[in-house]
Amino acid sequence: MSTKRAMAYHYSVTCFIYFLLLIPLLATLVYSLCDQWGATILPSGFTFKWYIQLWTDPRFLTALYHSMTLAVGTLILSAVLIVPCVFVVFYYYPKLDTGLNILTLLPFAIPPVVSSVGLLQLYSDYPLLLTGTPWILVGCYVGIALPFIYRAVNNNLRALNVHDLMDAARLLGASSTQAFFKLILPNIRKGLMASLFLSFSFLIGEFVFANLLAGANFETLQVYLYNMQQNSSHFTSALVISYFSITLILTLLATRFNR
Amino acid sequence: MNSVAISHLTKRFTEKTVFSDINLTIQDGEFFTLLGPSGCGKSTLLRCLAGLTQVDNGTIQLGEQDITHLAPQKRDIGMVFQSYALFPNLTVRENVAFGLRIQKLDTKQIKQRVDDILALVELGEFAERYPHSLSGGQRQRVALARSLVVRPKMLLLDEPLSALDARIRKHLRQQICAIQRELKLTTVFVTHDQEEALTMSDRIALMNEGKIIQCDPPEKLYIEPSSDFTARFMGQYNVLDADQAQQLFKESYQGSLAIRPESIYVFEDNRQYDERFSEKIAATVKSHQLLGSIIRYQLIANNVELTVDLLNRHAERLFDVGSELSILIDKSAMRHL
């Protein structure tokens, strides 16, 4: 009996916390779906007009396209650059690992507002005139993705008996490159994918760099959201819900694909 | 002919010499064991044979070929690791087929050879399983199959049984020996377990601190230790220095003396002892230990501590701690070191 009561208690606590976390999202959802919710307790006038208005705005669609291509492009570049690098450090130069470890802390240790000042100074003059272009964001975002990917790949490599696996593969005639692609990469895939999703949701919600380094020249979702503040709150609510749904759907799809 | 000739082989790590001037010849088809305590350099020597560790000096010849500086991929040497080193993302079949795929053999041929080798290690029914669902003994058999399927010139075994429990270890030991004899494969086995070495090998090189102390067939290594270290390592030999020997036998000795625990007898009234045996010596039982078929006693005789193994035959021959008894030592089985 007491187990049953305990279970009910656990259950209700969990539900309560879920509910608490969902309130802002639910409120935003309801707000985005009603015509008016001002002077009354309950909203009035169910409508899709905010969504129609949003999804027919070419500026929104461009911003969405910008954010997507930026995030996906950055992640592909990061994976191609960082994974082999972490592997080489882990397998051939373990002494460099300390340095890499410190390097991965930098994006967190230095606030974006601070580092963007430095980036602006460095890249807004000839010959590295990158400010206002998406390329500066790609470069900057690779730095942001670095700690996530480094952590995940490094932990996966640690859990794997890399040295013996590589030795065994080499004695069976495989080159180090073959061994890396056929054995190491498939075994760290799960961790790598998880870190890429994490970076994806982080990058798609990134605002400070996007606003300061590219701004109006290359409007991303977050910058668009910021610029639409003056608009009706019903409209921005529809934007938030759309943004959230897109991220959710992509993550679910990717998780399913990765299984 | 896949014999191995190692000459003047030397390996140093930054400040420490692992081994220097190692000379060995391993016959074609021989089961050769490198035995020694941990840190004696035996595993490093094996890795040098595999090409996984570079040597600083000396040469390794396999058959007619000098392989000292050849990449491990090109040596035609199979190796089994203590950690199994199976590829976790591949099934048993894919693991075994890995080397053949690299050689780009056609699918039909690969399937045939993988099936054959899996039958040899009695794992045919596990072909589609993943390594994580196998027991330790099964995993090590997969690893063995994987290194044998490419038909190497030589097989290296790096403590392959150390991670397994006792019963499986004994079974796999016999299986490895049987397969090795069937394929007549030159094999180098590394272990720190003298029982394993004695039961499996054609010849054993006993190593300590980077040197080969003695290299002989198992029987000879056990019966005729050439040094203090061999005597202590190979059995529970009683190694006495000159003073202790003199104290025990009341006659003067030079150099140290090795006495096997099974060559010390407890005096029985109704038995005849010929001149091989020493005079009776009074001894006291200090402790005893039951090892199944034998009982191992620690005795004190003339203030010298001795280990004595007696067959666990009659209940009346169990001596309690503190018992007084007389012992005789088979002098023909004693070794002067």
Side-chain angles (χ1 to χ4, degrees), chain B residues 6-181:
Chain B
I6 298 169
S7 51
H8 307 295
L9 208 66
T10 300
K11 175 68 196 169
R12 286 180 212 95
F13 287 128
T14 35
E15 68 270 18
K16 193 175 163 273
T17 303
V18 186
F19 50 76
S20 63
D21 204 27
I22 295 273
N23 295 288
L24 273 178
T25 314
I26 300 166
Q27 304 301 325
D28 183 38
E30 189 176 28
F31 196 111
F32 190 88
T33 297
L34 294 170
L35 173 68
S38 53
C40 72
K42 57 189 192 301
S43 282
T44 310
L45 180 55
L46 194 77
R47 289 180 64 84
C48 289
L49 285 176
L52 298 170
T53 300
Q54 292 294 310
V55 297
D56 293 313
N57 214 342
T59 58
I60 306 167
Q61 193 150 344
L62 174 59
E64 300 297 304
Q65 197 185 8
D66 181 352
I67 60 164
T68 317
H69 300 293
L70 208 60
Q73 287 92 332
K74 295 182 180 153
R75 292 194 181 203
D76 278 342
I77 288 178
M79 183 158 167
V80 174
F81 298 81
Q82 184 181 353
S83 68
Y84 321 126
L86 293 181
F87 309 137
N89 57 316
L90 305 179
T91 62
V92 168
R93 175 180 296 286
E94 290 164 339
N95 259 285
V96 177
F98 186 85
L100 301 176
R101 290 248 163 82
I102 297 286
Q103 292 177 8
K104 296 199 163 51
L105 262 60
D106 70 72
T107 326
K108 224 174 129 188
Q109 206 178 349
I110 292 179
K111 188 178 182 313
Q112 186 59 49
R113 272 170 71 171
V114 170
D115 284 341
D116 289 350
I117 206 82
L118 284 178
L120 184 70
V121 296
E122 295 163 16
L123 280 174
E125 60 199 293
F126 296 96
E128 309 311 326
R129 297 264 287 266
Y130 281 91
H132 65 81
S133 69
L134 301 180
S135 71
Q138 290 166 338
R139 284 182 207 190
Q140 202 53 295
R141 269 144 63 201
V142 176
L144 186 65
R146 184 179 67 181
S147 53
L148 291 176
V149 79
V150 292
R151 297 179 185 157
K153 289 182 187 162
M154 171 162 70
L155 180 65
L156 306 178
L157 304 166
D158 188 8
E159 309 220 13
L161 306 173
S162 301
L164 304 172
D165 63 58
R167 205 170 51 82
I168 293 169
R169 199 185 309 167
K170 283 202 173 128
H171 178 68
L172 194 53
R173 198 195 273 174
Q174 292 165 353
Q175 216 174 359
I176 289 176
C177 283
I179 290 172
Q180 189 269 337
R181 279 179 193 147

Side-chain angles (χ1 to χ4, degrees), chain B residues 69-316:
Chain B
H69 300 293
L70 208 60
Q73 287 92 332
K74 295 182 180 153
R75 292 194 181 203
D76 278 342
I77 288 178
M79 183 158 167
V80 174
F81 298 81
Q82 184 181 353
S83 68
Y84 321 126
L86 293 181
F87 309 137
N89 57 316
L90 305 179
T91 62
V92 168
R93 175 180 296 286
E94 290 164 339
N95 259 285
V96 177
F98 186 85
L100 301 176
R101 290 248 163 82
I102 297 286
Q103 292 177 8
K104 296 199 163 51
L105 262 60
D106 70 72
T107 326
K108 224 174 129 188
Q109 206 178 349
I110 292 179
K111 188 178 182 313
Q112 186 59 49
R113 272 170 71 171
V114 170
D115 284 341
D116 289 350
I117 206 82
L118 284 178
L120 184 70
V121 296
E122 295 163 16
L123 280 174
E125 60 199 293
F126 296 96
E128 309 311 326
R129 297 264 287 266
Y130 281 91
H132 65 81
S133 69
L134 301 180
S135 71
Q138 290 166 338
R139 284 182 207 190
Q140 202 53 295
R141 269 144 63 201
V142 176
L144 186 65
R146 184 179 67 181
S147 53
L148 291 176
V149 79
V150 292
R151 297 179 185 157
K153 289 182 187 162
M154 171 162 70
L155 180 65
L156 306 178
L157 304 166
D158 188 8
E159 309 220 13
L161 306 173
S162 301
L164 304 172
D165 63 58
R167 205 170 51 82
I168 293 169
R169 199 185 309 167
K170 283 202 173 128
H171 178 68
L172 194 53
R173 198 195 273 174
Q174 292 165 353
Q175 216 174 359
I176 289 176
C177 283
I179 290 172
Q180 189 269 337
R181 279 179 193 147
E182 191 180 323
L183 302 177
K184 296 190 180 60
L185 189 62
T186 311
T187 301
V188 182
F189 179 72
V190 160
T191 185
H192 60 263
D193 182 329
Q194 26 90 346
E195 189 190 322
E196 238 167 59
L198 287 174
T199 49
M200 296 173 80
S201 326
D202 293 325
R203 214 145 51 94
I204 301 171
L206 181 65
M207 288 182 74
N208 189 35
E209 291 174 350
K211 289 197 176 59
I212 293 178
I213 306 293
Q214 189 173 352
C215 181
D216 272 313
E219 307 77 29
K220 191 165 180 208
L221 199 67
Y222 186 74
I223 308 275
E224 298 173 32
S226 66
S227 70
D228 193 353
F229 179 79
T230 315
R232 286 178 202 276
F233 196 85
M234 291 316 295
Q236 297 291 321
Y237 267 94
N238 296 290
V239 180
L240 310 181
D241 60 31
D243 289 344
Q244 287 175 314
Q246 190 173 351
Q247 212 176 325
L248 184 65
F249 293 111
K250 309 285 184 208
E251 37 186 296
S252 71
Y253 274 93
Q254 293 204 325
S256 42
L257 202 60
I259 309 169
R260 270 185 286 135
E262 63 270 28
S263 65
I264 303 176
Y265 295 75
V266 171
F267 177 75
E268 289 165 84
D269 285 327
N270 49 358
R271 265 190 73 176
Q272 292 294 315
Y273 294 95
D274 57 31
E275 65 278 7
R276 282 190 300 143
F277 291 95
S278 67
E279 295 296 309
K280 277 196 281 181
I281 303 166
T284 316
V285 177
K286 190 185 167 203
S287 66
H288 55 69
Q289 208 182 351
L290 180 67
L291 304 175
S293 60
I294 59 172
I295 307 169
R296 177 158 295 160
Y297 290 95
Q298 297 296 328
L299 304 181
I300 309 282
N302 294 343
N303 280 328
V304 177
E305 187 166 339
L306 294 172
T307 304
V308 179
D309 284 353
L310 296 180
L311 269 178
N312 187 5
R313 216 173 252 156
H314 315 291
E316 66 266 26

